[in-house]
Amino acid sequence: MTAGPLPAFALYLLGKPPPPVEWEHRWLRWPDFWLPADRAATVEALREAWERAGSERVEIACGGGRGRTGTALACLAVLDGVPSDQAVAYVREHYARHAVETPWQRRFVARFDADRPGRP
């Protein structure tokens, strides 16, 4: 699943459990082209990945690297200060032109800011 140095932590966004890996990881049940099965667990896992990325190598992966991974990256951008209504465009510009593939994934990102703990 990874190329280059091994991650210290990984977040796998898949419809079924990932194969075993040597590093610490979390799996979120997230079927291809859809949304994660557990929204609260997803917010928690993305926050953990964002926090750890400040000092560790973090991997985020799905099956194709566009829809689910792009959605997660857009949510991380929101955590990092990008306005939620600009996060999809930001990820498409800086990661992959076709990231965040479905209307419901775009809506998930747009509403992600409201899911953040401590937000009104």
Side-chain angles (χ1 to χ4, degrees):
M1 287 190 178
T2 186
L6 297 180
F9 176 73
L11 188 55
Y12 296 120
L13 318 170
L14 301 165
K16 61 183 182 178
V21 292
E22 302 171 19
W23 47 88
E24 185 181 353
H25 67 283
R26 286 179 75 170
W27 165 56
L28 294 174
R29 183 181 305 275
W30 192 333
D32 199 10
F33 298 106
W34 293 99
L35 296 176
D38 186 332
R39 188 176 191 92
T42 302
V43 171
E44 178 186 317
L46 289 169
R47 179 168 285 286
E48 179 182 2
W50 177 75
E51 289 171 355
R52 293 181 73 161
S55 61
E56 302 174 67
R57 179 175 160 83
V58 172
E59 175 179 67
I60 296 182
C62 65
R66 297 277 169 83
R68 294 167 286 181
T69 296
T71 302
L73 292 175
C75 291
L76 293 178
V78 171
L79 288 173
D80 208 45
V82 175
S84 59
D85 63 344
Q86 297 172 28
V88 171
Y90 179 86
V91 169
R92 287 178 174 171
E93 180 181 344
H94 297 284
Y95 171 67
R97 189 173 70 170
H98 298 292
V100 192
E101 296 172 311
T102 66
W104 39 93
Q105 289 172 341
R106 290 190 298 277
R107 190 169 43 250
F108 184 87
V109 174
R111 294 179 178 166
F112 184 75
D113 197 45
D115 289 336
R116 291 174 46 203
R119 297 300 259 180

